[in-house]
């Protein structure tokens, strides 16, 4: 067991003790917090990492002492700032990992996402996601929860239709060519991108093969509001909160966006790739 997982177990145990001391069942606490009961269980059993917001509202609901609340907040912040081991996270379950991400997205109003090699999870079709999760399961020996993980990923996409949120996606053209699924699945995925790119709160940019790049792409990254950056490597999930780090990634995103094709120009790139597959776009 990693030190990260042990710290998550310790925090979950403390949360459970506070709930029980308040004589609340998991269902009763969930009702007070307007959560799904499963989230209470996931946090207590260390299948999901509690955020600062999670522990604050939990402490308020059970009327925890101020010093106890401060300690819980400190532990939650430390967990989020740690380098999270991907192999350990995937072993806790593909679906649980998707729930972690969904909770973070629910607190975000402005998304800026750069992905050089894969279609962004929020934009994936069911079948494309299924093939991606199968590969993740094989690489990380993840718990076999592919159907549940796909279901949660599709539920996450409902946030795209919330007009109060803004989404800016930038991907490389190569990501749309990369065969992570059979050809018919890839064609369906491209059709999906054509449709989503027309949503009024979504900007979808494609960096064409012939674009001169502002810098060498190393990893994809997600910027949540102006407060946090998630950077996924092969072995670690980095969570960056330092303002200087966030500002650097914002500048990098803006640089990539400047050389990307958006709106009709971006859709033209997608249509060209569809034509290469011998398929007329349906949108």
């Amino acid at each position: 067991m990693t030190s990260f997982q042990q710290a998550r177990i310790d925090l979950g145990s403390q949360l459970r003790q506070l709930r029980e001391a308040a004589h609340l069942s998991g269902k009763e606490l969930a009702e007070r917090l307007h959560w799904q009961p499963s989230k209470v269980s996931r946090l207590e059993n260390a299948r999901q990492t509690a955020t600062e917001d999670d522990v604050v509202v939990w402490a308020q609901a059970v009327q925890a002492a101020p010093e106890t609340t401060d300690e819980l907040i400190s532990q939650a912040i430390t967990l989020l700032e740690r380098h999270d081991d991907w192999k350990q996270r995937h072993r806790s379950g593909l679906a649980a990992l998707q729930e972690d991400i969904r909770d973070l997205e629910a607190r975000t109003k402005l998304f800026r996402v750069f992905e050089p090699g894969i279609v962004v999870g929020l934009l994936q079709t069911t079948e494309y996601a299924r093939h991606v999760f199968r590969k993740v399961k094989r690489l990380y020996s993840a718990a076999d929860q592919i159907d549940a993980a796909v279901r949660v990923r599709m539920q996450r996409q409902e946030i795209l239709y919330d007009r109060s949120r803004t989404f800016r996606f930038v991907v490389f053209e190569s990501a749309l060519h990369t065969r992570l699924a059979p050809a018919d699945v890839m064609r369906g995925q491209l059709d999906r991108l054509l449709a989503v790119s027309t949503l009024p709160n979504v900007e979808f940019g494609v960096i064409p093969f012939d674009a001169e790049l502002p810098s060498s792409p190393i990893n994809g990254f997600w910027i949540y509001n102006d407060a946090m950056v998630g950077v996924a490597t092969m072995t670690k999930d980095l969570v960056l909160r330092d303002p200087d780090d966030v500002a650097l990634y914002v500048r990098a995103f803006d640089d990539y966006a400047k050389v990307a094709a958006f709106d009709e120009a971006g859709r033209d790139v997608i249509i060209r790739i569809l034509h290469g597959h011998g398929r007329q776009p349906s949108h």
Side-chain angles (χ1 to χ4, degrees):
M1 179 183 297
T2 66
S3 59
F4 174 87
Q5 183 65 5
Q6 184 59 58
R8 190 158 70 165
I9 290 172
D10 293 342
L11 179 56
S13 177
Q14 292 175 62
L15 293 174
R16 179 189 296 107
Q17 291 171 11
L18 288 171
R19 174 181 61 76
E20 292 174 346
H23 305 291
L24 293 172
S25 68
K27 183 178 179 181
E28 289 169 338
L29 178 60
E31 289 175 351
R32 288 192 181 188
L33 299 178
H34 305 290
W35 290 354
Q36 292 295 321
S38 59
K39 179 172 178 176
V40 172
S41 175
R42 292 196 306 273
L43 294 178
E44 291 185 348
N45 292 290
R47 296 196 304 272
Q48 180 174 336
T49 304
T51 67
E52 180 181 354
D53 291 342
D54 290 337
V55 300
V56 167
V57 297
W58 189 299
Q60 290 172 343
V62 300
Q63 299 182 330
E67 58 271 20
T68 300
T69 303
D70 290 342
E71 175 59 26
L72 293 173
I73 291 172
S74 177
Q75 291 181 55
I77 291 175
T78 299
L79 278 172
L80 288 173
E81 290 178 344
R82 298 250 325 249
H83 290 186
D84 196 350
D85 184 276
W86 271 107
K87 191 171 184 178
Q88 184 64 42
R89 287 186 76 184
H90 282 102
R91 281 180 175 170
S92 68
L94 294 170
L97 180 55
Q98 290 301 301
E99 293 283 7
D100 270 352
I101 298 170
R102 181 166 66 169
D103 288 337
L104 173 58
E105 290 168 346
R107 301 190 299 274
T108 303
K109 291 294 185 180
L110 172 60
F111 297 75
R112 281 165 288 188
V113 184
F114 170 71
E115 282 289 358
I118 189 173
V119 174
V120 179
L122 278 177
L123 306 179
Q124 292 177 5
T125 65
T126 299
E127 286 309 308
Y128 183 97
R130 190 177 306 280
H131 283 275
V132 169
F133 281 128
R134 284 174 181 166
K135 291 172 173 60
V136 168
K137 178 183 181 302
R138 180 188 60 79
L139 182 62
Y140 295 100
S141 301
D144 190 3
Q145 298 177 325
I146 291 176
D147 288 343
V150 170
R151 182 170 61 254
V152 178
R153 175 160 287 182
M154 295 303 105
Q155 291 169 350
R156 282 175 51 204
Q157 295 183 6
E158 295 172 5
I159 201 172
L160 292 169
Y161 303 97
D162 181 347
R163 298 288 185 89
S164 69
R165 304 176 196 271
T166 300
F167 301 85
R168 301 189 68 204
F169 301 103
V170 173
V171 303
F172 277 134
E173 179 178 346
S174 56
L176 308 185
H177 285 275
T178 301
R179 287 284 298 273
L180 291 174
D184 61 327
V185 175
M186 294 301 298
R187 288 193 293 266
Q189 180 61 72
L190 293 171
D191 271 341
R192 166 70 172 161
L193 295 179
L194 287 174
V196 173
S197 69
T198 64
L199 293 175
N201 58 330
V202 173
E203 296 179 23
F204 184 78
V206 183
I207 299 178
F209 281 132
D210 59 0
E212 182 177 347
L213 302 181
S215 61
S216 176
I218 301 174
N219 293 102
F221 55 85
W222 290 61
I223 306 173
Y224 300 92
N225 296 324
D226 287 307
M228 191 182 90
V229 180
V231 184
T233 72
M234 286 290 289
T235 57
K236 303 289 183 183
D237 183 19
L238 310 184
V239 177
L240 309 176
R241 292 176 176 270
D242 183 274
D244 290 340
D245 288 338
V246 175
L248 187 148
Y249 277 94
V250 168
R251 290 198 301 272
F253 180 88
D254 289 342
D255 284 345
Y256 284 120
K258 288 176 184 176
V259 298
F262 286 89
D263 301 320
E264 289 303 322
R267 285 188 282 275
D268 285 345
V269 177
I270 299 173
I271 291 170
R272 171 163 49 80
I273 299 171
L274 268 172
H275 285 161
H277 285 296
R279 162 81 172 275
Q280 294 293 324
S282 61
H283 298 282

